[in-house]
């Protein structure tokens, strides 16, 4: 048979790579350790579940807590050292960076997941939830939430966001009472729609900038041809939709109340803190880093969204009736929507200021909010019953420490003494708006803080009000024994530990708020 050489044609040889070793790079395993340990713990739980007898499934929860503790411990050497990056390109830029911004949100994500594990140990047993699946899904979601703030390109951001969100759908649906499946379906459909819109925006941004690296996008958009600017602006707006949904910003908030009510209580607390932190960190990265050239545009958009979010959330929380079943969870759900509005104020200020400096206020307030909000969910879980606000009437006479703890968490959320740390957090956010020239947004925030006092103080007053001894007002009261018949109830040690950690953390921060507020004056990137 004739060969190409015989026919006088040149032989086709493979292209030689000038530097094949340059295609291989070393991975900084210490930098990626926090999300990696969470992922390995999830796999360990999944495999261990296959060999454990049903009577010993509780060990899976302890294994999950140990994995999250190990992931949190790795943050210490990262915090005291220099910024570390890995998965870098020769052209410049890296896909993963462990800077102060990433470490702060990783602390919030992994710490919030650890408190959720402590809140969940008795819930998994009492509600007969599948332990292996529950812990695997929780750790997987925590892994995505820890990866997201360190991502520095759009592909990694989108993947991390979905890794944090997809397991949350299944967590909500694990409650087999019909309500969980309905809540998970609403959560899933609305999230998928938001993700599709976000991916369309990402494609527009890539077409205009020619790269998915966040810093490269900023450079590309600054020098984009005039005919591509409408495409870039549309892509930026559509990209923000996905992160605004995860943050529960109005008008992408409609899934929150029903999802929180239908989910197991620890999962609702997890979504209100860790899920919100994931969306908030992604929103901060794409705005202040990638879309920096369009700062005044997205700054105005986020300012309007922040005003709407805090107003709608607080107004809906104010309208909650005290005799509604699971009204306590629904009020906390609307409260979390209002708090999302406060968290977005420094992001809007960053757009007007033209720098990432105001982000320190968001990070500080997110850490404070995460601690006290999970504590409030833990106190609600401790009280149990139908979850009606009326069921908390006279709690101080039945369980003094639970009443004091819940009152302290509510006052922290309201920003009133002795919850001084909540007050400092709101002042820092308020100052960020004023310094950026957003006086009208500062006024809206001040009005909303006053409105929120009404429902926080109303709930706090119920805790110390005289207990009612009248007949039950409805079938839901069958789940909550009358105050005079309610004897001492054994409190699970894990729930006590979660409440104790949250309360001690809030007290320490109220005495020494500089432990968190110092991030406001430091450099995050």
């Amino acid at each position: 048979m004739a060969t190409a050489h015989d026919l006088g044609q040149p032989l086709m040889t493979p292209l030689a790579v000038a530097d094949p070793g340059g295609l291989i790079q070393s991975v900084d395993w210490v930098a990626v350790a926090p999300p990696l340990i969470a992922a390995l713990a999830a796999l360990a739980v999944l495999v261990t579940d296959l060999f454990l007898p049903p009577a010993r499934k509780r060990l899976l929860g302890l294994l999950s807590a140990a994995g999250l503790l190990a992931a949190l411990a790795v943050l210490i050497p990262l915090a005291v050292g220099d910024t570390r990056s890995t998965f870098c390109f020769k052209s410049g830029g890296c896909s993963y960076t462990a800077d102060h911004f990433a470490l702060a949100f990783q602390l919030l994500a992994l710490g919030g997941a650890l408190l959720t594990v402590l809140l969940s140990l008795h819930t998994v047993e009492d509600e007969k939830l599948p332990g292996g699946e529950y812990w695997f899904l929780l750790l997987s979601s925590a892994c995505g939430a820890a990866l997201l703030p360190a991502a520095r390109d759009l592909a990694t951001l989108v993947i991390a966001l979905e890794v944090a969100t997809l397991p949350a759908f299944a967590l909500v649906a694990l409650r087999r009472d019909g309500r969980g499946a309905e809540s998970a379906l609403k959560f899933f459909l609305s999230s998928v729609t938001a993700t599709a819109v976000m991916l369309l925006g990402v494609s527009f941004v890539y077409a205009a900038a020619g790269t998915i690296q966040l810093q490269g996008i900023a450079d590309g958009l600054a020098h984009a041809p005039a005919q591509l600017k409408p495409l870039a602006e549309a892509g930026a707006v559509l990209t923000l939709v996905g992160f605004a949904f995860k943050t529960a910003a109005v008008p992408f908030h409609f899934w929150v109340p029903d999802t929180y009510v239908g989910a197991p209580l620890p999962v609702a607390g997890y979504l209100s803190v860790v899920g919100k932190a994931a969306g908030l960190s992604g929103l901060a990265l794409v705005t202040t880093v990638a879309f920096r050239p369009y700062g005044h545009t997205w700054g105005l958009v986020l300012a309007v969204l922040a005003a709407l979010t805090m107003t709608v959330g607080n107004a809906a929380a104010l309208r909650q009736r005290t005799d509604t079943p699971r009204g306590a969870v629904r009020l906390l759900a609307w409260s979390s929507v209002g708090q999302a509005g406060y968290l977005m104020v420094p992001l809007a200020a960053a757009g007007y200021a033209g720098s990432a400096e105001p982000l320190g206020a968001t990070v500080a307030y997110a850490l404070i909010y995460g601690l006290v909000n999970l504590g409030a969910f833990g106190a609600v879980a401790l009280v149990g019953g139908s979850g009606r606000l009326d069921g908390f009437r006279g709690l101080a006479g039945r369980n003094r420490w639970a009443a004091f703890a819940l009152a302290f968490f509510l006052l922290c959320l309201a920003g009133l003494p002795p919850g001084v740390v909540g007050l400092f957090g709101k002042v820092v956010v308020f100052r960020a708006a004023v310094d950026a020239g957003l006086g009208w947004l500062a006024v809206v925030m001040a009005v909303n803080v006053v409105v929120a006092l009404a429902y926080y103080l109303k709930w706090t007053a119920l805790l110390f009000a005289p207990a009612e001894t009248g007949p039950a007002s409805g079938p839901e009261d069958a789940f909550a024994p009358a105050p005079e018949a309610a004897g001492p109830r054994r409190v699970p040690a894990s729930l006590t530990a979660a409440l104790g950690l949250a309360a001690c953390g809030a007290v320490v921060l109220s005495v020494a708020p500089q432990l968190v507020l110092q991030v406001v004056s430091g450099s995050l990137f």
Side-chain angles (χ1 to χ4, degrees), residues 137-224:
L137 292 169
L138 182 61
L139 288 170
S140 299
S141 179
C143 170
L147 172 61
L148 198 148
R152 292 299 181 270
D153 64 66
L154 288 179
T156 308
L157 275 174
V158 172
I159 292 173
L161 188 64
E162 293 310 302
V163 170
T165 304
L166 290 176
F169 302 148
L171 283 172
V172 173
L174 284 180
R175 174 178 277 172
R176 307 296 175 83
D177 59 356
R179 187 167 50 194
E182 179 184 352
S183 300
L185 182 61
K186 292 179 180 178
F187 187 17
F188 172 76
L189 292 177
S190 52
S191 178
V192 166
T193 303
T195 301
V197 173
M198 180 178 64
L199 289 175
L200 180 63
V202 168
S203 66
F204 287 175
V205 171
Y206 175 71
T211 179
I212 60 173
Q213 293 288 328
L214 298 185
Q215 186 60 51
I217 291 172
D219 297 336
L221 295 182
H223 303 92

Side-chain angles (χ1 to χ4, degrees), residues 128-330:
K128 295 181 173 55
L129 302 177
E133 291 87 339
Y134 184 92
W135 302 118
F136 170 75
L137 292 169
L138 182 61
L139 288 170
S140 299
S141 179
C143 170
L147 172 61
L148 198 148
R152 292 299 181 270
D153 64 66
L154 288 179
T156 308
L157 275 174
V158 172
I159 292 173
L161 188 64
E162 293 310 302
V163 170
T165 304
L166 290 176
F169 302 148
L171 283 172
V172 173
L174 284 180
R175 174 178 277 172
R176 307 296 175 83
D177 59 356
R179 187 167 50 194
E182 179 184 352
S183 300
L185 182 61
K186 292 179 180 178
F187 187 17
F188 172 76
L189 292 177
S190 52
S191 178
V192 166
T193 303
T195 301
V197 173
M198 180 178 64
L199 289 175
L200 180 63
V202 168
S203 66
F204 287 175
V205 171
Y206 175 71
T211 179
I212 60 173
Q213 293 288 328
L214 298 185
Q215 186 60 51
I217 291 172
D219 297 336
L221 295 182
H223 303 92
Q227 60 268 28
L228 289 181
K229 286 190 175 180
L231 181 68
E233 292 175 351
V237 172
L238 294 177
T239 302
L240 296 182
V241 168
F243 295 105
F245 170 84
K246 301 302 189 294
T247 311
V250 173
F252 312 106
H253 69 291
F254 45 83
W255 58 276
V256 172
D258 291 339
T259 299
Y260 285 17
V261 168
L265 194 57
V267 175
Y270 175 84
L271 291 175
S272 72
V273 173
V274 180
K276 192 183 303 301
L280 192 68
S281 61
L283 189 63
L285 285 172
V286 296
T287 52
T288 59
V289 180
F291 302 149
R292 188 175 61 250
Y294 299 151
H296 285 283
T297 301
W298 58 256
L300 177 60
V301 171
L302 290 184
V304 174
L305 286 181
L308 289 175
T309 301
M310 65 179 74
T311 302
V312 171
N314 288 323
L318 191 63
R319 296 183 57 194
Q320 293 303 305
R321 297 175 52 183
T322 59
D323 58 350
T324 303
R326 295 184 67 82
V329 177
R330 190 171 289 274

Side-chain angles (χ1 to χ4, degrees), residues 322-488:
T322 59
D323 58 350
T324 303
R326 295 184 67 82
V329 177
R330 190 171 289 274
L331 188 146
L332 287 175
W334 284 115
S335 167
S336 73
V337 173
Q339 298 285 347
Y342 304 148
L343 289 165
M344 292 173 64
V345 170
L347 297 185
Y352 279 84
S355 70
E357 184 178 351
L359 287 186
T362 289
V363 175
Y365 194 81
L367 291 171
I368 296 168
Y369 161 76
L371 183 65
V372 298
N373 202 62
L374 274 173
F377 272 96
V380 172
L382 176 62
V383 174
S386 64
R388 294 183 303 108
L389 290 172
D390 276 344
F392 291 83
R393 183 183 298 274
L395 179 63
R398 308 193 302 273
N399 192 327
R400 180 184 307 170
W401 297 113
F404 283 146
L406 179 56
F408 182 61
F409 293 136
L410 292 175
L411 291 176
C412 285
L413 290 172
L416 289 177
V420 178
V421 66
L423 174 62
F424 277 114
K426 285 183 170 59
V427 169
V428 167
V429 172
F430 187 86
R431 187 179 64 184
V434 173
D435 290 345
L438 289 171
W440 67 269
L441 184 57
V443 172
V444 173
M445 179 181 172
V447 172
N448 274 277
V449 169
V450 174
V451 171
L453 292 179
Y455 61 83
Y456 285 130
L457 291 179
K458 180 179 181 181
W459 192 355
T460 304
L462 281 175
L463 303 176
F464 302 95
E468 292 182 350
T469 58
S473 59
E476 289 290 339
D477 292 337
F479 295 97
E484 69 274 11

